[in-house]
């Protein structure tokens, strides 16, 4: 099936819950086992936090296990220590990995301190290939419409590589580094647009008014490398999950159309499939 | 789950379902231990791809660093200042019993005694790690005999001494050795004390001011020369006076070197210090407060008469007096009782109460990199408590050594 779905929910918490249920149901329906891992692509940042909290709840209630799940994160800063509180390794450990039953060898995060960064990126692509490709890649969207660190102007055919961060991104990140611009990393390793496009399914989470313009550019305007999330208009299976605030720059007509489909779309998350 | 560790094959224990004291806050986090030390689970996950071999369900209890008692004279019939035929056995008995109070390390304390006692005891009591046999000994606390006659308290007058031969030589002659000595309490107003304070501090021995009539200037000088502790604040020193606060004034003195903290012992048994005085001290200098028991032989024993040093004492309820007088000679409260009383009397937070018995004494002794905290790499000396701060279990180096 080839579909694009826009899921519109009331607020941030509902987005987190819907997305977590979607992931949960996907894993359960996939029925992973020792020879058949479910491959999940994961983001970092404020947007997926609510979703991660819910996934942890589902794990604690015994609804899912991550024993046969492999994860590939989208990105990591270059040059900050792996145990820096703002590294994406720390983020994933504190906000997801330490609370669930995933094995370390099944998690993959780019190493921003690798001796050879290009080799590290190429090797990451190899690992995804060796795992059989990504079943579901979850991502967020930047205010400038970027997916992962594919800043405006990135090639839509790009693969995992070293990227210099845009000024907007550095400014937005300053708040995590004591507001000191000199402490903010200026480079990152990131999956490419094409890397995410290769996933069998993609789910993008968008919440908040500051993301509204980017969402508009991503789905109501054309495919354009200045708004790299727009590339997913050409992906066979994409779900955009957003809250009402994020829809503020969309046409009323678009919003009403997708809101009208919620009773159908909600069947994807409730009820929970039996195992 | 099978282990998959490249750094060590030693078993890893994960304490779950607990609240741990870290970064001065109680946090809902698991605590990981390997080879007797607190382990960084994130490092274990990413660097070693390892996981726990064993999980301990703490059922919602609080995990705090094990308590450290820097002033305890004995207990359960044992008097550290007595030269019995089995000094080591006596220390070991107390060390074992105080595990029930959450104490994982302590300084056996000797009150003013004749030289032969010091010579005997100090050769028998060695610094050693704790374990299933009992709390660890960090060294001895020698409270006297270089103290003030006026403020001798329960110490025997005939054994008081001064630095008449110039200082260190008097010390060596009296004590015999400074090996296994962690702390010395002295009165800084005694002539020649400066050299002694400097020398002791230089050797890494904590110098404490107590049983003294020093004024604030004398106390400040002693601190500048290296003194860092006040023995049982308020007791056996001049009372606070607004034109000369005496030793008590150190709590807010501006003559204390920038990089140093003056710590002060507090016997929070509800008897040695009025709650209002406790609150004044705490509010004036919260980060310096160190809870001590100053427990004596009779701690843990039924009411009646017992020996302390070279004197006889009498227990009445929670009070211990020099027999036939109204002079207090130490307390019989246990460390966990002190923690609870301190919290209740001062209105402080749970974290502050716990740190006063763990972090602060560790900082005082300069060992906070391995004791008194639950930071990664620190020794896994733990006390598990319920919300009312009753001790439920005690661990040393990650091994359970007592359970209620």
């Amino acid at each position: 099936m080839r579909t694009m779905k826009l899921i519109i929910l009331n607020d941030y918490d509902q987005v987190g819950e819907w997305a977590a249920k979607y992931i949960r149901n996907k894993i359960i329906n996939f029925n992973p086992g020792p020879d058949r891992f479910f491959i999940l692509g994961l983001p970092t940042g404020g947007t997926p936090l609510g979703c991660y909290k819910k996934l942890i709840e589902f794990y604690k209630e015994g609804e899912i296990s991550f024993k046969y799940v492999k994860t590939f994160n989208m990105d990591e800063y270059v040059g900050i220590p792996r145990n820096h509180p703002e590294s994406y390794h720390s983020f994933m450990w504190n906000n997801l990995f330490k609370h669930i039953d995933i094995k370390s060898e099944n998690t993959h995060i780019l190493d921003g301190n690798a001796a050879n960064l290009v080799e590290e990126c190429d090797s990451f692509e190899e690992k995804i290939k060796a795992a059989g490709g990504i079943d579901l890649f979850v991502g967020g969207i930047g205010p400038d419409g970027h997916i992962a660190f594919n800043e405006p102007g990135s090639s839509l055919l790009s693969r995992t590589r070293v990227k210099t961060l845009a000024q907007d991104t550095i400014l937005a990140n300053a708040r995590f580094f004591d507001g000191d611009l000199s402490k903010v990393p200026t480079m990152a390793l990131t999956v490419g647009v094409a890397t995410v496009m290769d996933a069998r399914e993609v789910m993008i989470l968008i919440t908040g008014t500051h993301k509204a313009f980017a969402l508009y550019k991503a789905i109501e305007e054309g495919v354009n490398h200045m708004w790299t999330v727009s590339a997913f208009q050409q992906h066979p299976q994409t779900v955009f999950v957003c809250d009402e605030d994020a829809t503020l720059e969309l046409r009323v007509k678009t919003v009403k159309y997708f809101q009208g489909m919620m009773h159908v779309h909600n069947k994807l998350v409730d009820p929970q499939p039996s195992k | 789950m099978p282990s998959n560790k490249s750094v060590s094959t030693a078993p890893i224990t994960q304490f779950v379902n607990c609240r741990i004291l870290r970064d001065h806050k109680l946090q809902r986090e698991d605590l990981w231990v390997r080879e007797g030390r607190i382990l960084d689970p994130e490092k274990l996950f990413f660097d070693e791809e390892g996981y726990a071999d064993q999980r301990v369900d703490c059922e919602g209890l609080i995990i705090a660093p094990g308590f450290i008692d820097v002033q305890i004279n004995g207990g359960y019939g044992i008097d550290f200042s007595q030269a019995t035929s089995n000094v080591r056995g006596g220390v070991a008995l107390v060390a074992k019993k105080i595990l029930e109070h959450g104490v994982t390390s302590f300084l056996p304390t000797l009150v003013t005694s004749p030289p032969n006692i010091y010579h005997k005891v100090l050769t028998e009591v060695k610094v050693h790690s704790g374990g299933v046999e009992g709390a660890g000994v960090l060294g001895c606390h020698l409270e006297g005999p270089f103290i003030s006659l006026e403020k001798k308290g329960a110490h025997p007058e005939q054994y008081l001494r001064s630095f008449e031969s110039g200082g260190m030589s008097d010390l060596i002659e009296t004590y015999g050795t400074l090996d296994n000595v962690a702390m010395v309490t002295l009165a800084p107003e005694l002539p020649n004390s400066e050299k002694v304070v400097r020398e002791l501090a230089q050797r890494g021995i904590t110098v404490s001011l107590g049983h003294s009539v020093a004024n604030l200037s004398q106390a400040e000088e002693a601190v500048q020369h290296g003194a860092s502790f006040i023995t049982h604040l308020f007791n056996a020193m001049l009372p606070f006076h607004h034109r000369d606060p005496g030793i008590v004034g150190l709590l807010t003195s501006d003559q204390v070197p920038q990089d140093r903290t003056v710590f002060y012992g507090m016997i929070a048994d509800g008897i040695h210090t009025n709650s209002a005085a406790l609150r004044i001290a705490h509010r004036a200098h919260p980060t310096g407060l160190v809870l001590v028991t100053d427990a004596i032989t009779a701690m843990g024993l039924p009411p009646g008469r017992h020996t302390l040093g070279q004197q006889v004492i009498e227990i009445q309820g929670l009070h211990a007096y020099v027999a036939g007088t109204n002079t207090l000679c130490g307390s019989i409260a246990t460390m966990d009782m002190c923690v609870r009383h301190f919290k209740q009397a001062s209105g402080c937070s749970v974290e502050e109460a716990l740190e006063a018995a763990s972090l602060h004494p560790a900082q005082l002794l300069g060992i906070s990199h391995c004791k008194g905290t639950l930071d990664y790499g620190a020794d896994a000396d733990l006390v598990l408590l319920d919300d009312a701060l009753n001790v439920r279990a005690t661990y040393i180096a990650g091994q359970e050594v007592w359970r209620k």
Side-chain angles (χ1 to χ4, degrees), chain A residues 13 41 55 61 94 98 114 116 130 148 201 237 250-251 263:
Chain A
D13 289 337
L55 281 175
E61 280 156 24
N94 285 309
K98 82 176 174 192
N116 186 324
E201 186 169 357
Q237 186 88 350
L250 298 179
R251 284 190 166 167
H263 66 287

Side-chain angles (χ1 to χ4, degrees), chain A residues 82 89-90 93 98 104-105, chain B residues 29 41-42 45-47 49:
Chain A
R82 202 224 52 227
H89 280 78
S90 294
W93 166 255
K98 82 176 174 192
S104 174
E105 60 259 32
Chain B
E29 287 285 349
E42 186 180 342
F45 186 84
F46 287 123
D47 286 348
E49 298 187 343

